[in-house]
Every structure is written in structure tokens, then in C-alpha cells.
Amino acid sequence: MNDLSLLKKIIDEHNSFLLSTHVNPDADALGSELAFYLILKKLGKKVRVINHSSTPYNLEFLDELNVIEKFDEMIHKNVFDESEVFILLDLNQANRIVKIEKAFRGFKGVKVCIDHHQDTENVFDHVFGGIEYSATSEIIYDFIDETKIVELDNSIALQLYAGIMTDTGSFRFDRTSPRIHRIMAELLEKGVNPTEVYDKIYDQFKFGRVKLLGYALSTMQLDSTRQIAYMIIKREQLEQTGATEADIDGFVNYCLTIQGIKIGILFYELKDGIKISFRSKGEIPVSKLAKEFEGGGHTNASGIRLFHTTIDEVKENLKKLNEKMEEQ
């Protein structure tokens, strides 16, 4: 899985590449994607980055070259036949690229996954990474470090720093190791400004997001055990505040700031269903809860999207499922 020399061989043997990442991309998704784009361009390869979602406004600074394209079936219908390699970064389930999924599944070239989540779908020709990595950006760092495929410069270092910093929760999550800090030190030596990166990602939110966070916090409730906290966001609140779905990223973590809480759950109302984000502390595998609903993620951070259902229905099903899992 981690024969990164094979990834270099794939690059050496092909000339045209497509890159994509998951719906509502975070900094690790974009950072790993853009870092890989920069690697390929340094090698003189043809490469296009096509995502299902628009780039969140607080992460637009990462795409300084404005290379990310938002998928349009009419505009991009021939792109997939003109490329030799299709690489998905920071996801391992094809349905997470939403409208691009059909084109990916029908792609005739080489399908590659670079990712750090568990339960990889059996749809790829090659998979690189693994759950031992803190972020997909860390995999890209290892790829450069081990193969020396290109020089690690400031442009690539910025992408990798943003990806690793955010996916480690600003260096507070379990996979924050001494090695991670050594990697970050090297990225800083390339000229990355940590204060500036943090400010752009976390301290430049629009007023609507902050208003929405206030609403979400006001809905927070605890279950009967006082070990599970959950909050609810309805579409009407997005409309009232002018916030977007991407603005909700990170809200669920506030559930875990309450003393005694072991699991946090965020319910977000979609047009035709709901999105649920799970977070947990310690060894509690919320990924198992997500998997029961065909979702996925990490042991302590997972999510699902369900269609044609309601928040009340899912809350009741989750309660029964959690009770069943506790009995096992």
C-alpha cells in the first residue's frame, strides 16, 4: 500500500492526469490535491484539477494559481477520455465525488487513491497511504521525501502545512507525533508563515458563519447518559444567516468541549435528507456508527449523508443502534 516508488513509476510512465477530492473539501483535501498538482506541473505533465464543490472562501488562498475547476458535465464531458490517470485524494469511496462519480467509475485509464481513511472501496487500481497517517498531506510529504521526485519548495510546503495543521486539529489529535512536528519544522524552514496560515483558515470567517455557530450552539442537547451531545442545523438557518454548508465544518467539535461528553453529533438538514457528523474521544469508534449507515471516516471522526429521511427518524435509529453496540 505504501510503495511510493510505484506512484513515482505511474507518474513517470504517463503524461496526462486528473485530480479530484471529496465534496465540501477541507484544507487537507485541497492542500494534498494542490501539492500533487504542483509536483506534476514541475515534471511537465498535463494535469487538471476538477472538484464537485466550490472551494470554501477561507481556503481560496491555497489555490493562488486558480487551477481548481468546478465540475460541469457539459464542459468536462470529454476530459475523462483525454486523460491517462485519475487520482482521488483524501477520500477512498467514489461516491464522495458526487456528480463526478459516474465518470470516475467509467474511466478507462489508471485509477489511483491517495488517502488516510479506513475501509477503502475496491474500485482503485492502486492505493497509497493508510490510516497511520495524520493527513493525506503527510502522505504527499513522504512521497516527495522518499522518491525525491521534485524539490520541496515554499509553494508545496504551504499546501502540506495547511493540510497537516488542520487535520491534526492544530496538533492536538491522536496522530500528532514527534515525527509530525519534525515535518512541520521542515515546512516552516521552507518559508511557511504559521501565523498567517492559521489566520486565513480560522480567523477570517464571514459574519454569517459566526451567527450560524451561535444558532447551532443554542440547539445543543445532552442525552440521558450525559455522555453524548448533539446539535441541529436546519436549512432555514443557513438562509437566514447567509452561511453555506462549508461554513458548518468544525461545528461538531464544540460538543466535545463539554465536561464528560464522549461523543458529539451534528445533524444538518439537506434539501432531500440530512448530513450527520460524528466526533468522539479516546477509543470510541464512531466510524462503526457511520458504517451502519454506509458512511465512513476515522475512528474518532466520521460522517454520513442520508436521503429521504428526517432528523427525528435518524436520531431514534442512532439511539437504538448505540444501545445495541454498548451491549456487545
Side-chain angles (χ1 to χ4, degrees):
M1 190 180 213
N2 288 320
D3 183 7
L4 296 175
S5 63
L6 175 57
L7 180 55
K8 182 178 183 298
K9 185 172 184 288
I10 292 169
I11 293 174
D12 289 341
E13 294 179 349
H14 298 87
N15 293 310
S16 55
F17 297 79
L18 281 175
L19 308 180
S20 191
T21 191
H22 57 76
V23 59
N24 297 324
D26 55 15
D28 187 35
L30 295 169
S32 57
E33 188 179 41
L34 290 166
F36 211 81
Y37 167 87
L38 292 169
I39 291 170
L40 293 172
K41 292 302 287 185
K42 280 176 174 286
L43 297 171
K45 305 294 183 177
K46 295 179 180 178
V47 53
R48 294 180 73 169
V49 183
I50 303 174
N51 291 345
H52 167 80
S53 303
S54 299
T55 300
Y57 62 83
N58 62 315
L59 300 177
E60 288 177 348
F61 76 98
L62 294 174
D63 187 20
E64 184 179 13
L65 299 177
N66 197 30
V67 301
I68 296 177
E69 305 173 48
K70 191 174 186 300
F71 177 68
D72 184 301
E73 191 169 2
M74 293 302 296
I75 294 173
H76 296 114
K77 61 182 178 180
N78 297 322
V79 173
F80 305 98
D81 294 326
E82 298 168 353
S83 301
E84 300 169 292
V85 182
F86 201 153
I87 303 176
L88 300 188
L89 297 103
D90 201 41
L91 75 154
N92 57 21
Q93 303 285 330
N95 62 0
R96 298 213 66 210
I97 51 176
V98 196
K99 292 180 180 179
I100 309 176
E101 178 184 2
K102 182 179 178 181
F104 178 78
R105 292 191 184 278
F107 186 69
K108 303 302 182 184
V110 182
K111 298 174 185 170
V112 175
C113 170
I114 304 176
D115 183 58
H116 69 127
H117 298 89
Q118 55 194 16
D119 300 322
T120 303
E121 182 180 357
N122 185 26
V123 70
F124 303 98
D125 297 307
H126 303 282
V127 178
F128 301 97
I131 60 173
E132 67 272 19
Y133 283 96
S134 68
T136 302
S137 294
E138 184 188 352
I139 304 170
I140 306 303
Y141 170 86
D142 270 8
F143 176 54
I144 297 171
D145 186 55
E146 291 181 21
T147 66
K148 312 301 181 186
I149 190 166
V150 297
E151 179 184 355
L152 178 60
D153 62 12
N154 174 263
S155 296
I156 295 175
L158 170 64
Q159 306 296 337
L160 301 184
Y161 183 92
I164 296 172
M165 185 266 285
T166 53
D167 254 33
T168 58
S170 298
F171 316 112
R172 72 184 193 276
F173 294 161
D174 285 346
R175 289 190 179 87
T176 303
S177 62
R179 178 179 187 270
I180 288 297
H181 285 291
R182 286 191 288 270
I183 290 172
M184 301 309 272
E186 182 177 349
L187 300 180
L188 293 178
E189 288 170 352
K190 298 297 180 181
V192 175
N193 184 326
T195 304
E196 183 177 296
V197 174
Y198 188 95
D199 178 71
K200 287 181 176 178
I201 294 177
Y202 292 121
D203 290 340
Q204 295 295 326
F205 289 123
K206 293 182 179 178
F207 183 58
R209 181 189 188 274
V210 180
K211 291 282 286 184
L212 184 64
L213 174 59
Y215 170 79
L217 292 173
S218 73
T219 71
M220 193 181 294
Q221 298 182 41
L222 308 184
D223 77 332
S224 59
T225 70
R226 301 186 71 81
Q227 294 184 337
I228 300 175
Y230 63 89
M231 58 175 70
I232 297 171
I233 297 177
K234 296 192 174 181
R235 290 196 60 80
E236 62 191 67
Q237 273 71 52
L238 264 76
E239 296 169 2
Q240 290 173 3
T241 60
T244 66
E245 183 178 341
D247 282 318
I248 297 170
D249 184 49
F251 281 14
V252 66
N253 294 321
Y254 285 92
C255 292
L256 297 182
T257 65
I258 301 171
Q259 188 177 44
I261 294 299
K262 296 180 179 179
I263 297 176
I265 305 174
L266 169 66
F267 298 92
Y268 164 52
E269 187 178 58
L270 304 169
K271 287 182 179 179
D272 53 357
I274 60 172
K275 175 182 177 181
I276 309 174
S277 295
F278 301 95
R279 296 293 185 272
S280 67
K281 291 182 177 180
E283 300 299 319
I284 300 174
V286 287
S287 55
K288 288 187 177 180
L289 279 174
K291 193 172 182 181
E292 290 291 332
F293 293 89
E294 298 186 356
H298 300 289
T299 299
N300 299 114
S302 299
I304 55 178
R305 281 176 178 252
L306 299 172
F307 298 95
H308 311 298
T309 187
T310 66
I311 290 175
D312 289 337
E313 288 175 351
V314 175
K315 280 173 62 179
E316 185 61 29
N317 289 337
L318 275 174
K319 180 181 177 182
K320 293 178 181 177
L321 180 59
N322 191 49
E323 291 173 350
K324 180 179 178 182
M325 291 176 67
E326 289 179 345
E327 292 172 357
Q328 295 177 352

